[in-house]
Amino acid sequence: MRAAARLGVLALVLAVLAGVPFFGGPSWERPLIDLLTLAALASLWNLLAGYAGLASFGQQAYLGIGAYTLYLAAAQGLDPQLAVPLAALAAGLVALPVSFPLLRLSGGHFAIGSWVLAEVFRLAATLQGGNTGLSLPGAGRHEPLVRQAMTYWWALGVAACAVGGVLLLVRGRYGLSVRAVAGDPVAAAACGVRVARTRRIAYCAAAVGTGAVGAVLFADTLYVQPESIFNVQYSVSMMFMVLIGGIGTVTGPLIGALVFFALQQTLSGYGPWYLVLLGIMAVAMTMFAPRGIRGLRDA
């Protein structure tokens, strides 16, 4: 009964959010796009670090792949609003072969390796198109209000799929396997868990979702630049949200995304001090509430 009630509340929330373009308009859509993409990124990074034990500093690689795939599809005449799934698919196709050498690493070596990978993609994008950036072809296919509403719906859909997908993965048999791998991969392998396959599923799933987010960000801003889309700050922000909200939980990253979004809105005018305050908060939470805000409720 409680599960049915929760599903009903969730469906109501999604219905209200889906109706924002009709009763809220651009003034609501603009900040909500930011919040929804943050929630998606936090959930996807939590799948890697919180469940699979893979702390990545290179998820911006798939943001960039998603954004540049959207550009290539639009340059061939495809409506950019219809190319978001292609961007997600491209990120997954790149992640699959990359995962074989990268997942041989673990711990700090994996974190550094993932960051190096992102830098390789950044350099490749810079060499191909320069560092001046690219505008999204075909953005004028739709009226500005319609285009922003469609982008908002994509952001909502990607966030819902990211959170729902992670929930489905970790609540089933795969969830038991991935937790075992994160805790002790040697013991997990001895119990019959296919460690490499388990980690690969998490890595590729996170890449697919992150690629979709990259496409949504490009569709929203209409401009992409290697230095910005491949910026390691994205991965740092993901880590911050997950640690603040509660790593290894489904709702923790959502709480962290809300906190991070609120801090962005209130502190961004303080320049570099904004980043200093975020750092102080992250250190304080790690020291005094290592399980995050979500963990305080269970304490």
Side-chain angles (χ1 to χ4, degrees):
M1 190 68 180
R2 291 180 62 186
R6 288 176 180 176
L7 286 175
V9 171
L10 180 59
L12 178 61
V13 170
L14 288 175
V16 171
L17 288 174
V20 163
F22 300 106
F23 63 79
S27 62
W28 287 39
E29 292 166 2
R30 175 64 260 143
L32 281 174
I33 289 173
D34 290 339
L35 177 57
L36 290 167
T37 52
L38 287 174
L41 290 174
S43 295
L44 294 166
W45 197 87
N46 183 54
L47 173 62
L48 281 177
Y51 290 106
L54 299 170
S56 172
F57 281 93
Q59 289 308 102
Q60 65 273 15
Y62 299 107
L63 283 174
I65 290 170
Y68 277 90
T69 299
L70 190 73
Y71 170 82
L72 292 174
Q76 295 300 314
L78 186 63
D79 186 340
Q81 294 292 338
L82 301 178
V84 174
L86 286 178
L89 178 61
L93 290 176
V94 171
L96 182 58
V98 163
S99 67
F100 285 90
L102 190 60
L103 292 180
R104 292 180 177 272
L105 306 174
S106 61
H109 295 94
F110 174 82
I112 294 172
S114 63
W115 173 73
V116 170
L117 175 68
E119 286 298 294
V120 169
F121 283 120
R122 181 187 66 80
L123 290 172
T126 302
L127 291 173
Q128 290 296 319
N131 203 34
T132 55
L134 298 168
S135 297
L136 182 62
R141 284 173 177 258
H142 306 282
E143 293 294 326
L145 288 177
V146 175
R147 179 188 59 78
Q148 183 156 314
M150 294 175 73
T151 303
Y152 167 78
W153 282 320
W154 271 120
L156 176 60
V158 170
C161 289
V163 177
V166 171
L167 180 61
L168 289 175
L169 276 175
V170 302
R171 289 291 172 89
R173 182 178 178 181
Y174 175 80
L176 296 175
S177 297
V178 78
R179 286 185 177 92
V181 169
D184 190 334
V186 176
C191 294
V193 177
R194 299 172 65 180
V195 174
R197 178 178 177 271
T198 301
R199 284 177 167 171
R200 187 165 293 109
I201 289 173
Y203 184 79
C204 292
V208 168
T210 305
V213 173
V216 170
L217 292 175
F218 191 14
D220 180 41
T221 61
L222 305 179
Y223 182 80
V224 67
Q225 189 178 21
E227 288 294 334
S228 59
I229 197 68
F230 288 104
N231 197 321
V232 71
Q233 184 63 40
Y234 279 111
S235 286
V236 173
S237 299
M238 295 178 214
M239 179 181 68
F240 176 86
M241 290 185 286
V242 172
L243 291 179
I244 290 295
I247 191 168
T249 65
V250 174
T251 56
L254 304 182
I255 296 170
L258 283 169
V259 172
F260 184 74
F261 176 75
L263 291 173
Q264 272 189 328
Q265 299 299 308
T266 56
L267 301 177
S268 58
Y270 290 92
W273 284 104
Y274 157 64
L275 298 176
V276 173
L277 290 172
L278 288 182
I280 292 173
M281 184 174 181
V283 171
M285 289 296 294
T286 303
M287 291 177 62
F288 302 108
R291 296 175 62 191
I293 296 173
R294 180 67 174 77
L296 293 175
R297 174 188 166 187
D298 300 331

